[in-house]
Structure formats: structure tokens, C-alpha cells
Amino acid sequence: KVVGGLGLGMGNSNDEKNSFFQGFKDLDNYVAGIYLSQDNFDITSELLIGDYNQAFIEEIGRNFTINVNDKTRWALNFNSLTDNTGHTYDVPEGQTSIILDPNLNHIGIPNSIYDSFLKNLIDNNKLECQSDVTIFPTCNCSNTDIFPLLFFKFDKVNLIIPPELYVQKDTNCTLLIGKTDVTKSFENFWIFGSPVLTYYYTMFNFNYPNYQIIFTKAKIFERNNRWY
């Protein structure tokens, strides 16, 4: 298993050449690919430096390529957040950065907008959820079609977050959406945790000075006791 933050930072300055990759002098391709497997699944996780593994990609050429804005954390800044019902979620300026952390088992949302985002998600889609849950809300699962697709817009790219990435289905449906107020360093960041990194095979293009993260649907995707 790959655990903890990705740790592919660029050093202390956005202008510095990537310190992590400086040790790899003879790479043919300045790219890295990560596949994060499921618990109790017979395929192991993989971090490949200098290439990507086509065996983990569902369809070559179908991907979401996003420019990195904050190179110290491989952070991505999105322009807007909508869903497939046409609803737009209000995200204040300064709280539109996303980082990746495979050690987080949910999607993290900045503490200051967590309550309003959750209320909009529940009210707009008429979800029947318990209001007294302090960690992850639980909702009625009688109709899973009401859980929307989320679209994070980056310039001309819409990164799709389907409901299976933020809903854990059992007797009830648990919304895997939590706060990111654990430290001051991350309180204004969204965090895409392991659900996103198991659904998408993720590639990191570190051809200095243009850094990109590329998401493409993983070929092997099976979630135990979750959506299906």
C-alpha cells in the first residue's frame, strides 16, 4: 500500500526544479504514475517513476490533464464546482485548491465551507440524511440515483467525481466527506483521498517548468461494501 502524503514536492519555492526527482538523472520520461489498489484486492499498489503503466488504464487517450498551480504541494486550483443537476456550489476565493493524499479515506473540504457545502448537497438533491452525525453523515439508500455527479472545472477540463467516490453504501449510505481542519497548513485545501486515487490512475508530468497531473479512469476498480 502507498500511504501518507504523496511527497512529490518541488522544494521551498515554485521556481525551484523538483527536488524529489533530481536524484533520477537518467530518466527517458519525466513522468510518474500511481495506482492505488483496494483493501483485500489481489493487485498491489504501484508508484512508477519515469513511466506509467498502461495495464492500469481503462482507455488510453481518455484523460483529464490539469496544470499544477502550487508546485510545493502539487496543488490544483479549480474555477467552479457544479453537479449534473445544474446546481453550482459557492466556493470562496482562496479555498479552491486541491491536493492529493492517498492516506485519507474520504474527500476533505475546507472547514469554513464544510457545513454550507454539505447543506447544499443534501437540500438540492433532497437527500434524507441524519443531522446529528458529527463525522460522516448517513443517508437513506432507497434511491441511489439521487446522489449527483460532481464536476470540478479547471479551465477547459471538468474532472468528474461520481457518487461512488463519496458515498459508502451499506444498510445506509455514508457520505465520505469530511473537514480538512486537522492542521493550519491544510485548512483551506480540498483533499482528494484514496477513493479518488483508486478510481483514477494518476500521472504526474514533471517536465520543468510545466508540471501537470493527469487523471485517467483506472482499469481495475472494485470497491468492497461501497457503491455496488
Side-chain angles (χ1 to χ4, degrees):
K1 277 289 184 183
V2 178
V3 296
L6 287 172
L8 304 180
M10 307 298 178
N12 296 323
S13 168
N14 280 347
D15 297 325
E16 292 182 15
K17 188 170 176 62
N18 190 324
S19 58
F20 177 88
F21 292 109
Q22 283 181 347
F24 300 92
K25 301 297 185 182
D26 300 320
L27 294 178
D28 293 327
N29 299 306
Y30 281 85
V31 65
I34 183 172
Y35 171 74
L36 195 65
S37 72
Q38 309 283 330
D39 290 331
N40 303 317
F41 199 53
D42 59 357
I43 302 295
T44 58
S45 300
E46 176 186 89
L47 174 61
L48 186 60
I49 305 295
D51 207 346
Y52 61 90
N53 193 337
Q54 295 187 19
F56 292 133
I57 298 175
E58 183 173 83
E59 184 176 343
I60 301 296
R62 292 193 61 184
N63 54 55
F64 305 93
T65 300
I66 303 169
N67 292 325
V68 172
N69 298 97
D70 177 357
K71 296 176 183 177
T72 62
R73 294 186 176 97
W74 285 88
L76 309 170
N77 288 347
F78 63 93
N79 300 325
S80 63
L81 173 58
T82 60
D83 63 31
N84 61 309
T85 70
H87 183 72
T88 298
Y89 297 86
D90 183 25
V91 182
E93 185 178 353
Q95 295 184 327
T96 58
S97 291
I98 297 172
I99 57 176
L100 309 179
D101 184 355
N103 199 41
L104 197 71
N105 66 353
H106 59 275
I107 293 177
I109 296 178
N111 181 35
S112 61
I113 62 172
Y114 174 82
D115 291 335
S116 61
F117 172 83
L118 202 61
K119 185 177 188 304
N120 285 335
L121 180 69
I122 291 172
D123 292 350
N124 183 61
N125 296 284
K126 297 180 172 58
L127 304 178
E128 298 177 10
C129 302
Q130 296 182 17
S131 59
D132 58 344
V133 177
T134 57
I135 302 178
F136 297 124
T138 57
C139 307
N140 188 313
C141 267
S142 60
N143 180 13
T144 55
D145 291 337
I146 62 176
F147 294 99
L149 294 164
L150 300 177
F151 301 109
F152 287 82
K153 182 175 178 57
F154 302 85
D155 296 328
K156 296 181 180 180
V157 176
N158 279 318
L159 182 64
I160 302 170
I161 302 297
E164 54 260 47
L165 301 192
Y166 66 87
V167 178
Q168 178 174 307
K169 183 179 178 182
D170 199 346
T171 305
N172 293 309
C173 281
T174 301
L175 298 183
L176 299 178
I177 299 173
K179 298 179 180 180
T180 58
D181 60 344
V182 289
T183 67
K184 290 293 183 182
S185 299
F186 298 107
E187 64 180 352
N188 291 320
F189 285 89
W190 295 65
I191 302 178
F192 283 176
S194 59
V196 176
L197 293 170
T198 53
Y199 185 81
Y200 286 114
Y201 183 77
T202 308
M203 292 167 279
F204 300 84
N205 175 11
F206 51 97
N207 282 289
Y208 181 81
N210 299 313
Y211 297 95
Q212 297 171 319
I213 295 180
I214 304 163
F215 297 94
T216 186
K217 178 74 184 309
K219 188 174 184 179
I220 303 170
F221 177 66
E222 182 177 296
R223 193 178 299 280
N224 297 323
N225 298 321
R226 296 229 175 165
W227 191 250
Y228 298 109

